[in-house]
mmCIF file of all heavy atoms in Angstrom:
data_model
loop_
_atom_site.group_PDB
_atom_site.id
_atom_site.type_symbol
_atom_site.label_atom_id
_atom_site.label_comp_id
_atom_site.label_asym_id
_atom_site.label_seq_id
_atom_site.Cartn_x
_atom_site.Cartn_y
_atom_site.Cartn_z
ATOM 1 N N MET A 1 -9.006 -17.345 17.376
ATOM 2 C CA MET A 1 -8.975 -17.117 15.991
ATOM 3 C C MET A 1 -8.036 -16.019 15.623
ATOM 4 O O MET A 1 -8.366 -14.752 15.574
ATOM 5 C CB MET A 1 -10.353 -16.652 15.369
ATOM 6 C CG MET A 1 -11.369 -17.863 15.627
ATOM 7 S SD MET A 1 -13.047 -17.476 15.066
ATOM 8 C CE MET A 1 -12.687 -17.289 13.238
ATOM 9 N N LYS A 2 -6.816 -16.341 15.300
ATOM 10 C CA LYS A 2 -5.756 -15.338 15.005
ATOM 11 C C LYS A 2 -5.653 -15.220 13.474
ATOM 12 O O LYS A 2 -5.484 -16.073 12.782
ATOM 13 C CB LYS A 2 -4.354 -15.807 15.684
ATOM 14 C CG LYS A 2 -4.475 -15.621 17.180
ATOM 15 C CD LYS A 2 -3.149 -15.987 17.664
ATOM 16 C CE LYS A 2 -2.976 -15.861 19.155
ATOM 17 N NZ LYS A 2 -1.742 -16.214 19.772
ATOM 18 N N VAL A 3 -5.587 -14.092 13.191
ATOM 19 C CA VAL A 3 -5.342 -13.784 11.520
ATOM 20 C C VAL A 3 -3.946 -13.268 11.562
ATOM 21 O O VAL A 3 -3.500 -12.194 11.906
ATOM 22 C CB VAL A 3 -6.320 -12.632 11.150
ATOM 23 C CG1 VAL A 3 -5.966 -12.389 9.713
ATOM 24 C CG2 VAL A 3 -7.710 -13.106 11.336
ATOM 25 N N ARG A 4 -3.135 -14.152 10.924
ATOM 26 C CA ARG A 4 -1.604 -13.760 10.756
ATOM 27 C C ARG A 4 -1.348 -13.163 9.462
ATOM 28 O O ARG A 4 -0.831 -13.823 8.436
ATOM 29 C CB ARG A 4 -0.794 -15.042 10.905
ATOM 30 C CG ARG A 4 -0.945 -15.547 12.362
ATOM 31 C CD ARG A 4 0.041 -16.750 12.487
ATOM 32 N NE ARG A 4 0.008 -17.220 13.943
ATOM 33 C CZ ARG A 4 0.754 -18.071 14.433
ATOM 34 N NH1 ARG A 4 1.556 -18.777 13.606
ATOM 35 N NH2 ARG A 4 0.734 -18.421 15.619
ATOM 36 N N ASN A 5 -1.601 -11.928 9.287
ATOM 37 C CA ASN A 5 -1.368 -11.188 8.164
ATOM 38 C C ASN A 5 0.243 -11.099 7.748
ATOM 39 O O ASN A 5 0.624 -10.843 6.619
ATOM 40 C CB ASN A 5 -1.978 -9.729 8.083
ATOM 41 C CG ASN A 5 -3.522 -9.985 8.041
ATOM 42 O OD1 ASN A 5 -4.081 -10.758 7.348
ATOM 43 N ND2 ASN A 5 -4.174 -8.869 8.728
ATOM 44 N N GLU A 6 0.798 -11.157 8.922
ATOM 45 C CA GLU A 6 2.359 -10.924 8.845
ATOM 46 C C GLU A 6 2.890 -12.044 7.990
ATOM 47 O O GLU A 6 3.995 -12.002 7.473
ATOM 48 C CB GLU A 6 2.926 -11.043 10.420
ATOM 49 C CG GLU A 6 2.512 -9.820 11.049
ATOM 50 C CD GLU A 6 3.113 -9.742 12.508
ATOM 51 O OE1 GLU A 6 3.962 -10.700 12.730
ATOM 52 O OE2 GLU A 6 2.825 -8.893 13.247
ATOM 53 N N GLU A 7 2.272 -13.234 8.052
ATOM 54 C CA GLU A 7 2.891 -14.407 7.169
ATOM 55 C C GLU A 7 3.142 -14.116 5.783
ATOM 56 O O GLU A 7 3.953 -14.493 5.091
ATOM 57 C CB GLU A 7 1.891 -15.568 7.338
ATOM 58 C CG GLU A 7 1.866 -16.085 8.704
ATOM 59 C CD GLU A 7 3.163 -16.829 9.218
ATOM 60 O OE1 GLU A 7 3.765 -17.449 8.313
ATOM 61 O OE2 GLU A 7 3.483 -16.539 10.358
ATOM 62 N N LYS A 8 2.202 -13.142 5.258
ATOM 63 C CA LYS A 8 2.323 -12.736 3.851
ATOM 64 C C LYS A 8 3.572 -12.013 3.618
ATOM 65 O O LYS A 8 4.217 -12.123 2.544
ATOM 66 C CB LYS A 8 1.223 -11.906 3.449
ATOM 67 C CG LYS A 8 -0.128 -12.579 3.587
ATOM 68 C CD LYS A 8 -1.248 -11.512 3.251
ATOM 69 C CE LYS A 8 -2.637 -12.210 3.302
ATOM 70 N NZ LYS A 8 -3.654 -11.286 3.020
ATOM 71 N N PHE A 9 4.182 -11.249 4.682
ATOM 72 C CA PHE A 9 5.231 -10.422 4.423
ATOM 73 C C PHE A 9 6.637 -11.202 4.726
ATOM 74 O O PHE A 9 7.548 -10.644 4.529
ATOM 75 C CB PHE A 9 5.116 -9.154 5.293
ATOM 76 C CG PHE A 9 3.930 -8.518 4.947
ATOM 77 C CD1 PHE A 9 2.759 -8.578 5.844
ATOM 78 C CD2 PHE A 9 3.873 -7.669 3.800
ATOM 79 C CE1 PHE A 9 1.619 -7.696 5.449
ATOM 80 C CE2 PHE A 9 2.653 -7.073 3.530
ATOM 81 C CZ PHE A 9 1.592 -7.092 4.291
ATOM 82 N N LYS A 10 6.598 -12.346 5.375
ATOM 83 C CA LYS A 10 7.724 -12.942 5.678
ATOM 84 C C LYS A 10 8.674 -13.261 4.416
ATOM 85 O O LYS A 10 8.123 -13.832 3.380
ATOM 86 C CB LYS A 10 7.478 -14.364 6.340
ATOM 87 C CG LYS A 10 7.235 -14.260 7.732
ATOM 88 C CD LYS A 10 7.282 -15.631 8.524
ATOM 89 C CE LYS A 10 7.170 -15.375 9.989
ATOM 90 N NZ LYS A 10 7.184 -16.711 10.667
ATOM 91 N N GLY A 11 9.831 -13.007 4.661
ATOM 92 C CA GLY A 11 10.751 -13.240 3.427
ATOM 93 C C GLY A 11 10.683 -12.288 2.334
ATOM 94 O O GLY A 11 11.330 -12.427 1.294
ATOM 95 N N ARG A 12 9.910 -11.275 2.479
ATOM 96 C CA ARG A 12 9.785 -10.291 1.477
ATOM 97 C C ARG A 12 10.408 -8.897 1.767
ATOM 98 O O ARG A 12 10.218 -8.034 1.137
ATOM 99 C CB ARG A 12 8.360 -10.140 1.117
ATOM 100 C CG ARG A 12 7.601 -11.452 0.647
ATOM 101 C CD ARG A 12 6.268 -11.292 0.318
ATOM 102 N NE ARG A 12 6.161 -10.483 -0.977
ATOM 103 C CZ ARG A 12 4.925 -10.325 -1.517
ATOM 104 N NH1 ARG A 12 3.864 -10.798 -1.027
ATOM 105 N NH2 ARG A 12 4.878 -9.610 -2.769
ATOM 106 N N GLY A 13 11.000 -8.914 2.936
ATOM 107 C CA GLY A 13 11.856 -7.742 3.335
ATOM 108 C C GLY A 13 10.840 -6.590 3.699
ATOM 109 O O GLY A 13 11.336 -5.427 3.680
ATOM 110 N N MET A 14 9.642 -6.956 4.198
ATOM 111 C CA MET A 14 8.742 -5.922 4.467
ATOM 112 C C MET A 14 8.700 -5.580 5.967
ATOM 113 O O MET A 14 8.051 -4.615 6.431
ATOM 114 C CB MET A 14 7.330 -6.450 4.040
ATOM 115 C CG MET A 14 7.072 -6.481 2.571
ATOM 116 S SD MET A 14 7.240 -4.896 1.852
ATOM 117 C CE MET A 14 5.821 -3.978 2.444
ATOM 118 N N ARG A 15 9.350 -6.421 6.749
ATOM 119 C CA ARG A 15 9.328 -6.147 8.246
ATOM 120 C C ARG A 15 10.490 -5.397 8.745
ATOM 121 O O ARG A 15 11.287 -5.845 9.634
ATOM 122 C CB ARG A 15 9.331 -7.558 8.986
ATOM 123 C CG ARG A 15 8.062 -8.267 8.586
ATOM 124 C CD ARG A 15 7.808 -9.589 9.400
ATOM 125 N NE ARG A 15 7.538 -9.111 10.813
ATOM 126 C CZ ARG A 15 7.431 -10.086 11.810
ATOM 127 N NH1 ARG A 15 7.317 -11.364 11.656
ATOM 128 N NH2 ARG A 15 7.263 -9.741 13.040
ATOM 129 N N MET A 16 10.918 -4.418 7.949
ATOM 130 C CA MET A 16 11.900 -3.568 8.411
ATOM 131 C C MET A 16 11.651 -2.252 7.881
ATOM 132 O O MET A 16 10.829 -1.954 6.902
ATOM 133 C CB MET A 16 13.288 -4.127 7.657
ATOM 134 C CG MET A 16 13.125 -4.310 6.267
ATOM 135 S SD MET A 16 14.564 -5.171 5.607
ATOM 136 C CE MET A 16 15.827 -3.894 5.728
ATOM 137 N N CYS A 17 12.325 -1.294 8.499
ATOM 138 C CA CYS A 17 12.164 0.130 8.084
ATOM 139 C C CYS A 17 12.440 0.346 6.649
ATOM 140 O O CYS A 17 13.568 0.060 6.164
ATOM 141 C CB CYS A 17 13.021 1.163 9.017
ATOM 142 S SG CYS A 17 12.844 2.780 8.565
ATOM 143 N N ARG A 18 11.538 0.865 5.832
ATOM 144 C CA ARG A 18 11.875 1.056 4.459
ATOM 145 C C ARG A 18 12.542 2.246 4.088
ATOM 146 O O ARG A 18 12.879 2.578 2.957
ATOM 147 C CB ARG A 18 10.323 1.159 3.698
ATOM 148 C CG ARG A 18 9.470 2.328 4.177
ATOM 149 C CD ARG A 18 8.223 2.297 3.403
ATOM 150 N NE ARG A 18 7.446 3.425 3.749
ATOM 151 C CZ ARG A 18 6.073 3.616 3.254
ATOM 152 N NH1 ARG A 18 5.603 2.814 2.461
ATOM 153 N NH2 ARG A 18 5.501 4.670 3.746
ATOM 154 N N ILE A 19 12.855 2.975 5.136
ATOM 155 C CA ILE A 19 13.642 4.169 5.046
ATOM 156 C C ILE A 19 15.137 3.941 5.245
ATOM 157 O O ILE A 19 16.001 4.201 4.510
ATOM 158 C CB ILE A 19 13.149 5.392 5.825
ATOM 159 C CG1 ILE A 19 11.698 5.638 5.443
ATOM 160 C CG2 ILE A 19 14.030 6.571 5.682
ATOM 161 C CD1 ILE A 19 11.108 6.732 6.400
ATOM 162 N N CYS A 20 15.366 3.407 6.556
ATOM 163 C CA CYS A 20 16.692 3.141 6.957
ATOM 164 C C CYS A 20 17.065 1.681 7.078
ATOM 165 O O CYS A 20 18.222 1.227 7.111
ATOM 166 C CB CYS A 20 17.100 3.906 8.326
ATOM 167 S SG CYS A 20 16.287 3.195 9.729
ATOM 168 N N GLY A 21 16.134 0.793 7.098
ATOM 169 C CA GLY A 21 16.408 -0.680 6.852
ATOM 170 C C GLY A 21 16.558 -1.337 8.275
ATOM 171 O O GLY A 21 16.648 -2.436 8.289
ATOM 172 N N THR A 22 16.262 -0.478 9.300
ATOM 173 C CA THR A 22 16.394 -1.270 10.668
ATOM 174 C C THR A 22 15.077 -1.935 11.068
ATOM 175 O O THR A 22 14.033 -1.601 10.401
ATOM 176 C CB THR A 22 16.670 -0.165 11.712
ATOM 177 O OG1 THR A 22 17.054 -0.864 12.908
ATOM 178 C CG2 THR A 22 15.542 0.637 11.982
ATOM 179 N N SER A 23 15.243 -2.872 11.851
ATOM 180 C CA SER A 23 13.966 -3.718 12.369
ATOM 181 C C SER A 23 13.734 -3.357 13.781
ATOM 182 O O SER A 23 12.864 -3.929 14.315
ATOM 183 C CB SER A 23 14.256 -5.116 12.115
ATOM 184 O OG SER A 23 15.282 -5.606 12.956
ATOM 185 N N ARG A 24 14.349 -2.494 14.276
ATOM 186 C CA ARG A 24 14.294 -2.081 15.754
ATOM 187 C C ARG A 24 13.205 -0.954 15.811
ATOM 188 O O ARG A 24 13.335 0.046 15.054
ATOM 189 C CB ARG A 24 15.541 -1.605 16.381
ATOM 190 C CG ARG A 24 16.615 -2.808 16.383
ATOM 191 C CD ARG A 24 17.869 -2.379 17.014
ATOM 192 N NE ARG A 24 17.598 -2.156 18.472
ATOM 193 C CZ ARG A 24 18.529 -1.753 19.344
ATOM 194 N NH1 ARG A 24 19.847 -1.578 18.813
ATOM 195 N NH2 ARG A 24 18.200 -1.613 20.475
ATOM 196 N N GLY A 25 12.253 -1.045 16.666
ATOM 197 C CA GLY A 25 11.276 0.039 16.966
ATOM 198 C C GLY A 25 10.320 0.211 15.712
ATOM 199 O O GLY A 25 9.915 1.266 15.434
ATOM 200 N N LEU A 26 10.129 -0.823 15.023
ATOM 201 C CA LEU A 26 9.390 -0.837 13.855
ATOM 202 C C LEU A 26 7.944 -0.570 14.082
ATOM 203 O O LEU A 26 7.303 -1.197 14.927
ATOM 204 C CB LEU A 26 9.541 -2.108 13.089
ATOM 205 C CG LEU A 26 8.852 -2.019 11.722
ATOM 206 C CD1 LEU A 26 9.683 -1.184 10.721
ATOM 207 C CD2 LEU A 26 8.991 -3.439 10.999
ATOM 208 N N ILE A 27 7.393 0.416 13.317
ATOM 209 C CA ILE A 27 6.078 0.776 13.391
ATOM 210 C C ILE A 27 5.214 0.216 12.174
ATOM 211 O O ILE A 27 5.516 0.622 10.987
ATOM 212 C CB ILE A 27 5.734 2.205 13.487
ATOM 213 C CG1 ILE A 27 6.444 2.927 14.843
ATOM 214 C CG2 ILE A 27 4.306 2.646 13.429
ATOM 215 C CD1 ILE A 27 6.358 4.340 14.850
ATOM 216 N N ARG A 28 4.324 -0.650 12.506
ATOM 217 C CA ARG A 28 3.618 -1.223 11.456
ATOM 218 C C ARG A 28 2.129 -0.764 11.264
ATOM 219 O O ARG A 28 1.371 -1.058 10.273
ATOM 220 C CB ARG A 28 3.459 -2.802 11.590
ATOM 221 C CG ARG A 28 4.798 -3.485 11.309
ATOM 222 C CD ARG A 28 4.671 -4.951 11.701
ATOM 223 N NE ARG A 28 4.337 -5.177 13.131
ATOM 224 C CZ ARG A 28 4.017 -6.337 13.575
ATOM 225 N NH1 ARG A 28 3.795 -7.344 12.746
ATOM 226 N NH2 ARG A 28 3.660 -6.540 14.776
ATOM 227 N N SER A 29 1.914 0.201 12.227
ATOM 228 C CA SER A 29 0.499 0.821 12.144
ATOM 229 C C SER A 29 0.449 1.650 10.837
ATOM 230 O O SER A 29 1.412 2.207 10.361
ATOM 231 C CB SER A 29 0.412 1.646 13.368
ATOM 232 O OG SER A 29 0.507 1.012 14.478
ATOM 233 N N HIS A 30 -0.749 1.718 10.389
ATOM 234 C CA HIS A 30 -1.137 2.461 9.108
ATOM 235 C C HIS A 30 -0.211 1.913 7.975
ATOM 236 O O HIS A 30 0.040 2.567 6.976
ATOM 237 C CB HIS A 30 -0.660 3.946 9.392
ATOM 238 C CG HIS A 30 -1.267 4.453 10.576
ATOM 239 N ND1 HIS A 30 -2.668 4.633 10.761
ATOM 240 C CD2 HIS A 30 -0.805 4.858 11.752
ATOM 241 C CE1 HIS A 30 -2.986 5.186 11.867
ATOM 242 N NE2 HIS A 30 -1.848 5.373 12.530
ATOM 243 N N LYS A 31 0.296 0.755 8.070
ATOM 244 C CA LYS A 31 1.044 0.140 7.047
ATOM 245 C C LYS A 31 2.262 1.037 6.603
ATOM 246 O O LYS A 31 2.772 1.042 5.465
ATOM 247 C CB LYS A 31 0.234 -0.127 5.859
ATOM 248 C CG LYS A 31 -0.880 -1.064 6.026
ATOM 249 C CD LYS A 31 -1.707 -1.440 4.837
ATOM 250 C CE LYS A 31 -2.757 -2.456 5.171
ATOM 251 N NZ LYS A 31 -3.705 -2.583 3.952
ATOM 252 N N LEU A 32 2.845 1.591 7.682
ATOM 253 C CA LEU A 32 3.962 2.542 7.361
ATOM 254 C C LEU A 32 5.264 1.699 7.172
ATOM 255 O O LEU A 32 5.929 2.091 6.356
ATOM 256 C CB LEU A 32 4.119 3.552 8.584
ATOM 257 C CG LEU A 32 3.075 4.585 8.625
ATOM 258 C CD1 LEU A 32 3.261 5.363 9.800
ATOM 259 C CD2 LEU A 32 3.099 5.475 7.423
ATOM 260 N N TYR A 33 5.437 0.696 8.157
ATOM 261 C CA TYR A 33 6.722 -0.036 7.995
ATOM 262 C C TYR A 33 7.921 0.758 8.071
ATOM 263 O O TYR A 33 8.681 0.680 7.353
ATOM 264 C CB TYR A 33 6.649 -0.961 6.749
ATOM 265 C CG TYR A 33 5.684 -1.986 6.949
ATOM 266 C CD1 TYR A 33 4.448 -1.857 6.325
ATOM 267 C CD2 TYR A 33 5.897 -3.217 7.584
ATOM 268 C CE1 TYR A 33 3.416 -2.813 6.333
ATOM 269 C CE2 TYR A 33 4.912 -4.234 7.598
ATOM 270 C CZ TYR A 33 3.799 -3.931 7.089
ATOM 271 O OH TYR A 33 2.841 -5.030 7.120
ATOM 272 N N ILE A 34 7.879 1.666 9.037
ATOM 273 C CA ILE A 34 9.126 2.479 9.236
ATOM 274 C C ILE A 34 9.411 2.413 10.805
ATOM 275 O O ILE A 34 8.518 2.198 11.594
ATOM 276 C CB ILE A 34 8.889 3.831 8.831
ATOM 277 C CG1 ILE A 34 7.722 4.640 9.488
ATOM 278 C CG2 ILE A 34 8.821 3.943 7.228
ATOM 279 C CD1 ILE A 34 7.603 5.959 9.050
ATOM 280 N N CYS A 35 10.661 2.748 11.200
ATOM 281 C CA CYS A 35 10.886 2.752 12.563
ATOM 282 C C CYS A 35 10.524 4.035 13.257
ATOM 283 O O CYS A 35 10.233 5.036 12.664
ATOM 284 C CB CYS A 35 12.573 2.505 12.744
ATOM 285 S SG CYS A 35 13.555 3.933 12.092
ATOM 286 N N ARG A 36 10.609 3.893 14.533
ATOM 287 C CA ARG A 36 10.150 5.096 15.299
ATOM 288 C C ARG A 36 10.865 6.436 15.010
ATOM 289 O O ARG A 36 10.352 7.497 14.969
ATOM 290 C CB ARG A 36 10.231 4.795 16.772
ATOM 291 C CG ARG A 36 9.225 3.754 17.274
ATOM 292 C CD ARG A 36 9.331 3.482 18.707
ATOM 293 N NE ARG A 36 8.992 4.760 19.482
ATOM 294 C CZ ARG A 36 9.081 4.816 20.823
ATOM 295 N NH1 ARG A 36 9.342 3.682 21.532
ATOM 296 N NH2 ARG A 36 8.719 5.903 21.521
ATOM 297 N N ARG A 37 12.129 6.142 14.760
ATOM 298 C CA ARG A 37 13.015 7.199 14.477
ATOM 299 C C ARG A 37 12.657 8.017 13.177
ATOM 300 O O ARG A 37 12.552 9.303 13.066
ATOM 301 C CB ARG A 37 14.497 6.804 14.348
ATOM 302 C CG ARG A 37 15.543 7.911 14.171
ATOM 303 C CD ARG A 37 16.793 7.320 14.408
ATOM 304 N NE ARG A 37 17.901 8.387 14.291
ATOM 305 C CZ ARG A 37 19.165 8.259 14.337
ATOM 306 N NH1 ARG A 37 19.592 6.975 14.507
ATOM 307 N NH2 ARG A 37 19.995 9.177 14.279
ATOM 308 N N CYS A 38 12.500 7.193 12.106
ATOM 309 C CA CYS A 38 12.058 7.692 10.798
ATOM 310 C C CYS A 38 10.646 8.262 10.872
ATOM 311 O O CYS A 38 10.271 9.037 10.144
ATOM 312 C CB CYS A 38 12.229 6.652 9.761
ATOM 313 S SG CYS A 38 13.976 6.271 9.348
ATOM 314 N N PHE A 39 9.860 7.669 11.694
ATOM 315 C CA PHE A 39 8.526 8.025 11.760
ATOM 316 C C PHE A 39 8.274 9.465 12.161
ATOM 317 O O PHE A 39 7.424 10.160 11.640
ATOM 318 C CB PHE A 39 7.766 7.144 12.818
ATOM 319 C CG PHE A 39 6.375 7.620 13.061
ATOM 320 C CD1 PHE A 39 5.309 7.043 12.135
ATOM 321 C CD2 PHE A 39 5.889 8.307 14.152
ATOM 322 C CE1 PHE A 39 3.984 7.442 12.307
ATOM 323 C CE2 PHE A 39 4.601 8.784 14.288
ATOM 324 C CZ PHE A 39 3.679 8.334 13.419
ATOM 325 N N ARG A 40 9.171 9.847 12.930
ATOM 326 C CA ARG A 40 9.145 11.338 13.511
ATOM 327 C C ARG A 40 9.343 12.209 12.219
ATOM 328 O O ARG A 40 8.742 13.210 12.143
ATOM 329 C CB ARG A 40 10.333 11.571 14.580
ATOM 330 C CG ARG A 40 9.906 10.957 15.747
ATOM 331 C CD ARG A 40 11.023 11.359 16.769
ATOM 332 N NE ARG A 40 10.890 12.722 17.266
ATOM 333 C CZ ARG A 40 11.740 13.323 18.008
ATOM 334 N NH1 ARG A 40 12.541 12.596 18.689
ATOM 335 N NH2 ARG A 40 11.493 14.654 18.280
ATOM 336 N N GLU A 41 10.294 11.840 11.382
ATOM 337 C CA GLU A 41 10.483 12.658 10.139
ATOM 338 C C GLU A 41 9.310 12.439 9.206
ATOM 339 O O GLU A 41 8.914 13.447 8.555
ATOM 340 C CB GLU A 41 11.842 12.090 9.464
ATOM 341 C CG GLU A 41 12.963 12.416 10.387
ATOM 342 C CD GLU A 41 13.133 13.870 10.767
ATOM 343 O OE1 GLU A 41 13.008 14.573 9.827
ATOM 344 O OE2 GLU A 41 13.588 14.226 11.746
ATOM 345 N N ALA A 42 8.846 11.248 9.031
ATOM 346 C CA ALA A 42 7.759 10.954 8.120
ATOM 347 C C ALA A 42 6.473 11.610 8.560
ATOM 348 O O ALA A 42 5.549 11.993 7.810
ATOM 349 C CB ALA A 42 7.537 9.369 8.044
ATOM 350 N N ALA A 43 6.233 11.633 9.862
ATOM 351 C CA ALA A 43 5.103 12.329 10.426
ATOM 352 C C ALA A 43 4.944 13.637 9.951
ATOM 353 O O ALA A 43 3.809 14.097 9.723
ATOM 354 C CB ALA A 43 5.100 12.180 11.914
ATOM 355 N N LYS A 44 6.064 14.358 9.797
ATOM 356 C CA LYS A 44 5.928 15.758 9.241
ATOM 357 C C LYS A 44 5.277 15.849 7.958
ATOM 358 O O LYS A 44 4.556 16.680 7.630
ATOM 359 C CB LYS A 44 7.379 16.351 9.319
ATOM 360 C CG LYS A 44 7.993 16.444 10.741
ATOM 361 C CD LYS A 44 9.381 16.846 10.601
ATOM 362 C CE LYS A 44 10.036 16.901 11.997
ATOM 363 N NZ LYS A 44 11.495 17.302 11.751
ATOM 364 N N SER A 45 5.795 14.988 7.122
ATOM 365 C CA SER A 45 5.371 14.888 5.682
ATOM 366 C C SER A 45 3.926 14.416 5.634
ATOM 367 O O SER A 45 3.208 14.900 4.763
ATOM 368 C CB SER A 45 6.361 14.080 4.824
ATOM 369 O OG SER A 45 7.650 14.589 4.849
ATOM 370 N N LEU A 46 3.752 13.230 6.418
ATOM 371 C CA LEU A 46 2.367 12.637 6.282
ATOM 372 C C LEU A 46 1.403 13.439 7.131
ATOM 373 O O LEU A 46 0.143 13.017 7.094
ATOM 374 C CB LEU A 46 2.502 11.148 6.915
ATOM 375 C CG LEU A 46 3.409 10.292 5.902
ATOM 376 C CD1 LEU A 46 3.632 8.974 6.528
ATOM 377 C CD2 LEU A 46 2.929 10.120 4.522
ATOM 378 N N ASN A 47 1.751 14.309 7.904
ATOM 379 C CA ASN A 47 0.889 15.197 8.679
ATOM 380 C C ASN A 47 0.213 14.264 9.785
ATOM 381 O O ASN A 47 -0.976 14.415 10.045
ATOM 382 C CB ASN A 47 -0.268 15.939 7.770
ATOM 383 C CG ASN A 47 -0.830 17.012 8.555
ATOM 384 O OD1 ASN A 47 -0.233 17.580 9.448
ATOM 385 N ND2 ASN A 47 -2.078 17.271 8.231
ATOM 386 N N PHE A 48 1.035 13.320 10.339
ATOM 387 C CA PHE A 48 0.342 12.548 11.438
ATOM 388 C C PHE A 48 0.431 13.265 12.687
ATOM 389 O O PHE A 48 1.301 14.044 12.841
ATOM 390 C CB PHE A 48 1.125 11.190 11.529
ATOM 391 C CG PHE A 48 0.398 10.118 10.694
ATOM 392 C CD1 PHE A 48 1.041 9.869 9.441
ATOM 393 C CD2 PHE A 48 -0.590 9.438 11.110
ATOM 394 C CE1 PHE A 48 0.353 8.841 8.658
ATOM 395 C CE2 PHE A 48 -1.076 8.406 10.477
ATOM 396 C CZ PHE A 48 -0.569 8.120 9.129
ATOM 397 N N LYS A 49 -0.468 12.982 13.526
ATOM 398 C CA LYS A 49 -0.402 13.383 14.911
ATOM 399 C C LYS A 49 0.604 12.658 15.764
ATOM 400 O O LYS A 49 0.956 11.619 15.184
ATOM 401 C CB LYS A 49 -1.708 13.334 15.673
ATOM 402 C CG LYS A 49 -2.792 14.397 14.898
ATOM 403 C CD LYS A 49 -4.115 14.325 15.762
ATOM 404 C CE LYS A 49 -5.171 15.220 15.049
ATOM 405 N NZ LYS A 49 -6.353 15.144 15.738
ATOM 406 N N LYS A 50 0.964 13.218 16.828
ATOM 407 C CA LYS A 50 1.971 12.411 17.644
ATOM 408 C C LYS A 50 1.452 11.016 17.972
ATOM 409 O O LYS A 50 0.491 10.763 18.277
ATOM 410 C CB LYS A 50 2.245 13.188 18.956
ATOM 411 C CG LYS A 50 3.378 12.651 19.756
ATOM 412 C CD LYS A 50 3.544 13.378 21.040
ATOM 413 C CE LYS A 50 4.791 12.884 21.785
ATOM 414 N NZ LYS A 50 4.911 13.691 23.139
ATOM 415 N N TYR A 51 2.451 10.075 17.744
ATOM 416 C CA TYR A 51 2.076 8.707 17.871
ATOM 417 C C TYR A 51 2.242 8.259 19.260
ATOM 418 O O TYR A 51 3.141 8.472 19.860
ATOM 419 C CB TYR A 51 3.027 7.772 16.961
ATOM 420 C CG TYR A 51 2.790 6.346 17.030
ATOM 421 C CD1 TYR A 51 1.719 5.780 16.200
ATOM 422 C CD2 TYR A 51 3.524 5.628 17.783
ATOM 423 C CE1 TYR A 51 1.494 4.513 16.311
ATOM 424 C CE2 TYR A 51 3.317 4.232 17.762
ATOM 425 C CZ TYR A 51 2.262 3.706 17.156
ATOM 426 O OH TYR A 51 1.965 2.310 17.190
ATOM 427 N N GLY A 52 1.209 7.564 19.759
ATOM 428 C CA GLY A 52 1.256 6.897 21.118
ATOM 429 C C GLY A 52 1.842 7.799 22.214
ATOM 430 O O GLY A 52 2.499 7.237 23.053
HETATM 431 ZN ZN1 ZN U 1 14.086 4.017 9.890
#
């Protein structure tokens, strides 16, 4: 039983970094939708602990 929530976001430009627009190394955890590179910067503002 797979729940494909991703289907909702197809074609809506949500599967890419909302900061720099890249789709590489995208982090979808916490509904951030940002790449690992931007995550480091965002983590400072969002006060996240080190990811993985
Ligand atoms: Zn980015």
Side-chain angles (χ1 to χ4, degrees):
M1 295 178 67
K2 292 183 179 179
V3 179
R4 294 187 175 182
N5 290 328
E6 293 182 3
E7 292 294 318
K8 296 180 181 179
F9 301 107
K10 273 191 174 182
R12 301 184 69 176
M14 291 295 293
R15 296 189 66 178
M16 54 191 291
C17 177
R18 62 183 181 181
I19 299 176
C20 70
T22 190
S23 59
R24 298 183 65 179
L26 188 67
I27 297 175
R28 289 177 295 164
S29 301
H30 309 290
K31 297 182 180 179
L32 289 172
Y33 291 94
I34 58 178
C35 67
R36 293 181 64 182
R37 187 172 183 177
C38 292
F39 177 81
R40 292 186 63 181
E41 296 299 323
K44 297 177 183 177
S45 302
L46 298 173
N47 196 28
F48 269 96
K49 293 182 180 179
K50 186 176 182 181
Y51 182 80

